[in-house]
């Protein structure tokens, strides 16, 4: 009986050993496959994207200062007009009668002035002969001065009636194209409280502008003179050019989102662009040409923790001790950085004593370059970043394969400890400021 138990126990142990070998032994021998991309030269552009509305560079709304019935219209939509051209006429029946009435009132006032002048002259002669009292003289003078004032008021009323009659003829204030007509013949317009809009004239459609709404997060990148490219839905295959002319300071708040209006000058020699079109704009903030660039994901890549542990295990004792000293100095915030080189071709760096004439640490990054079956860390200086590609400089060559990722499955330990245990990147102490301390 006991012999049977021994045999069963031996069989279970053998099966467990074989299973452990198949599960863990094979996984350990599985080589890590690196996902790479070639380092190349090219152009990098930093852009800001937004939308806006096209409008004429100068648009004037033509109204009327007098009320009346539209008697005649000389223009229509898309009519080309010249400055001073008659574009509409109001019915002048009542306005002409107002002029005649004001002229008659003026004539009565002038008669009154003549009569009061004669009375005053007689009174003055008698007053000089000391026949009349001072009070009679003053009364006659006052009557004469009042008549003169009334005549002046009547003259002003006549002038006003004539001006209103002139206003019945609507003329174009600028040369341009009629883009809107809001009235028809026979329609009554009332100018009691506000001037009604009869026509809208665009000064010159060969010069357009785009009013773009730029988010507050991007407005700091926009300056006067930047080049702009945009498309419109009417011509999806064409790209139009413009220039930033003005950044308006007044914020526009919509649904708790703060935007700023940016005016962009746009040439329109072919008259393809029309007022009211929606423009999808791209503002070119910065551009560098023929630089070495890598995908932005290459700077965010860190090798799997097991790969780093294997590299640390294979380091010489002297270099391992240097790394431990450097890590302790970084964690304590001291300035005693290691001046020697780190394994993998990485400079040790100065944790706390970097000179002010050197680039900031935030301008540096680490990329991993594939060399044969393994990878090697390279410290590089980063430049322009458009979100997809990053400009870099350092001891790297065009055509090298930079690592973007691997086939190693992520683990909780790798996610939490990968960055601080990376021997080729600066160690951040726990609780450090910025987002890295979270």
């Amino acid at each position: 009986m006991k012999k049977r138990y021994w045999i069963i126990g031996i069989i279970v142990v053998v099966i467990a050993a074989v299973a452990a070998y198949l599960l863990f032994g094979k996984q350990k021998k599985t080589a890590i496959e690196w996902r790479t991309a070639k380092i190349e030269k090219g152009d990098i552009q930093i852009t800001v994207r937004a939308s806006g509305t096209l409008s004429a560079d100068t648009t004037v709304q033509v109204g009327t200062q007098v009320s009346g019935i539209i008697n005649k219209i000389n223009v229509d939509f898309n009519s080309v007009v010249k400055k001073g051209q008659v574009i509409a006429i109001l019915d002048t029946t009542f306005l002409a009668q107002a002029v005649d009435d004001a002229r008659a009132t003026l004539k009565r006032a002038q008669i009154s002035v003549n009569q009061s002048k004669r009375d005053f002259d007689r009174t003055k002669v008698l007053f000089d002969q000391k026949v009349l009292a001072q009070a009679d003289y003053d009364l006659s003078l006052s009557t004469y001065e009042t008549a003169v004032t009334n005549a002046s008021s009547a003259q002003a009323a006549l002038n006003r009636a004539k001006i209103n009659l002139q206003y019945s003829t609507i003329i174009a204030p600028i040369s341009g194209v009629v883009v809107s007509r809001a009235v028809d013949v026979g329609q009554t317009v009332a100018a009691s409280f506000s001037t009604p809009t009869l026509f809208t004239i665009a000064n010159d459609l060969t010069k357009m502008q785009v009013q773009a709404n730029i988010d507050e997060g991007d407005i700091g990148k926009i300056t006067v003179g930047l080049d702009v490219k945009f498309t419109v839905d009417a011509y999806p295959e064409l790209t139009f050019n413009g220039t930033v002319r003005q950044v308006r300071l007044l914020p526009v708040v919509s649904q708790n989102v703060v935007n700023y209006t940016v005016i962009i000058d746009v040439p329109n020699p072919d008259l393809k662009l029309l007022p009211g079109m929606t423009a999808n704009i791209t503002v070119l903030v910065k551009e560098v040409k023929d630089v070495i660039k890598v995908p932005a994901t290459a700077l965010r890549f860190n090798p799997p923790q097991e790969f780093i542990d294997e590299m640390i295990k294979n380091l010489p004792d002297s270099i391992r001790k240097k790394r431990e000293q450097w890590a302790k100095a970084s964690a304590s915030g001291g300035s005693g950085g290691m001046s020697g080189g780190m394994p993998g071709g990485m400079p040790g760096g100065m944790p706390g004593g970097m000179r002010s004439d050197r680039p900031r640490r935030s301008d540096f990054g680490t990329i991993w370059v594939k060399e044969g079956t393994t990878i090697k860390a390279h410290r590089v200086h980063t430049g322009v970043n458009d979100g997809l590609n990053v400009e870099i400089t350092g001891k790297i060559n065009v055509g090298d394969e930079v690592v973007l990722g691997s086939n190693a499955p992520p683990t909780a330990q790798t996610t939490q400890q990968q960055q601080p245990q990376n021997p080729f990147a600066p160690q951040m102490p726990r609780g450090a400021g910025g987002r890295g301390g979270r």
Side-chain angles (χ1 to χ4, degrees):
M1 193 71 178
K2 291 183 178 180
K3 186 176 181 180
R4 182 186 300 176
Y5 288 149
W6 277 102
I7 295 174
I8 294 174
I10 294 173
I11 293 174
V12 171
V13 171
V14 172
I15 293 174
V18 172
Y21 173 77
L22 293 176
L23 290 176
F24 300 103
K26 285 190 175 181
Q27 288 183 2
K28 187 173 181 181
K29 294 180 180 179
T30 301
I32 299 177
E33 295 181 1
W34 307 108
R35 182 164 51 88
T36 63
K38 287 191 175 182
I39 299 176
E40 57 184 12
K41 271 192 173 185
D43 303 338
I44 300 179
Q45 296 179 341
I46 297 179
T47 59
V48 172
R49 299 181 182 275
S51 61
T53 304
L54 279 158
S55 62
D57 188 59
T58 302
T59 302
V60 177
Q61 294 180 341
V62 182
T64 174
Q65 292 188 350
V66 295
S67 301
I69 300 174
I70 301 294
N71 190 33
K72 187 177 182 181
I73 295 178
N74 297 330
V75 296
D76 200 354
F77 290 93
N78 302 336
S79 296
V80 179
V81 297
K82 298 293 184 181
K83 182 178 180 180
Q85 178 181 339
V86 177
I87 56 178
I89 299 176
L90 299 179
D91 184 17
T92 60
T93 302
F94 293 104
L95 296 174
Q97 288 180 354
V99 172
D100 294 339
D101 185 53
R103 187 178 288 114
T105 301
L106 175 61
K107 189 172 183 179
R108 287 195 300 269
Q110 289 175 343
I111 292 173
S112 179
V113 168
N114 296 334
Q115 179 62 38
S116 61
K117 179 66 170 60
R118 290 191 294 267
D119 293 342
F120 174 71
D121 290 341
R122 287 193 297 269
T123 301
K124 187 176 185 304
V125 172
L126 295 175
F127 178 76
D128 291 339
Q129 295 176 357
K130 297 183 180 181
V131 175
L132 290 178
Q134 181 69 39
D136 295 333
Y137 175 80
D138 293 341
L139 179 60
S140 179
L141 177 60
S142 177
T143 302
Y144 171 65
E145 291 176 345
T146 300
V148 172
T149 302
N150 290 338
S152 298
S153 179
Q155 181 64 54
L158 176 60
N159 294 337
R160 183 167 57 252
K162 290 181 178 179
I163 292 175
N164 288 338
L165 181 60
Q166 293 176 355
Y167 282 155
S168 64
T169 302
I170 311 300
I171 63 174
I174 61 172
S175 299
V177 179
V178 178
V179 295
S180 173
R181 176 173 65 83
V183 292
D184 292 307
V185 174
Q187 183 174 340
T188 301
V189 292
S192 301
F193 301 101
S194 62
T195 302
T197 300
L198 307 182
F199 306 91
T200 302
I201 300 178
N203 184 18
D204 185 3
L205 292 182
T206 61
K207 298 178 181 179
M208 303 283 286
Q209 68 178 17
V210 176
Q211 294 189 11
N213 295 320
I214 305 296
D215 184 81
E216 61 176 329
D218 295 323
I219 194 63
K221 304 175 185 177
I222 307 300
T223 57
V224 175
L226 290 179
D227 293 331
V228 179
K229 295 182 181 297
F230 67 94
T231 60
V232 294
D233 294 339
Y235 308 102
E237 72 283 355
L238 297 180
T239 300
F240 301 90
N241 299 316
T243 305
V244 175
R245 172 165 59 92
Q246 183 185 58
V247 179
R248 294 182 177 174
L249 304 180
L250 180 66
V252 179
V253 182
S254 175
Q255 298 179 352
N256 295 328
V257 178
V258 180
N259 294 321
Y260 291 86
T261 301
V262 175
I263 305 300
I264 302 168
D265 285 335
V266 177
N268 187 30
D270 299 331
L271 300 179
K272 290 185 176 181
L273 300 174
L274 303 178
M277 285 184 172
T278 299
N280 302 309
I281 70 170
T282 301
V283 183
L284 181 60
V285 177
K286 189 174 182 180
E287 181 181 20
V288 290
K289 293 181 177 293
D290 197 28
V291 296
I292 299 177
K293 62 180 182 179
V294 296
T297 53
L299 291 163
R300 298 192 293 267
F301 168 76
N302 281 316
Q305 187 63 44
E306 55 269 23
F307 177 81
I308 295 177
D309 294 340
E310 187 68 23
M311 290 188 66
I312 295 175
K313 187 186 301 183
N314 296 328
L315 290 176
D317 292 340
S318 59
I319 297 180
R320 189 183 297 109
K321 290 181 180 179
K322 277 188 177 183
R323 176 191 173 274
E324 293 175 355
Q325 295 175 4
W326 185 86
K328 290 180 181 178
S330 297
S332 62
S335 59
M338 301 299 297
S339 59
M342 293 296 293
M346 294 297 301
M350 299 292 289
M354 184 175 290
R355 294 203 309 265
S356 60
D357 57 341
R358 294 181 181 178
R360 296 174 300 171
R361 178 163 293 178
S362 59
D363 293 335
F364 283 100
T366 302
I367 63 173
W368 293 79
V369 178
K370 185 177 180 183
E371 296 183 357
T373 59
T374 186
I375 59 175
K376 184 177 180 182
H378 287 265
R379 191 72 161 164
V380 293
H381 181 216
T382 59
V384 177
N385 184 350
D386 65 357
L388 296 177
N389 297 289
V390 183
E391 174 192 4
I392 61 170
T393 54
K395 295 180 180 180
I396 37 87
N397 299 314
V398 176
D400 290 346
E401 293 187 4
V402 61
V403 181
L404 306 180
S406 69
N407 65 339
T411 63
Q413 183 179 5
T414 301
T415 304
Q416 296 176 2
Q417 299 181 359
Q418 183 174 352
Q419 180 65 25
Q421 292 186 3
N422 185 348
F424 309 108
Q427 304 295 317
M428 292 294 292
R430 293 185 178 180
R435 298 182 179 179
R438 295 182 181 177

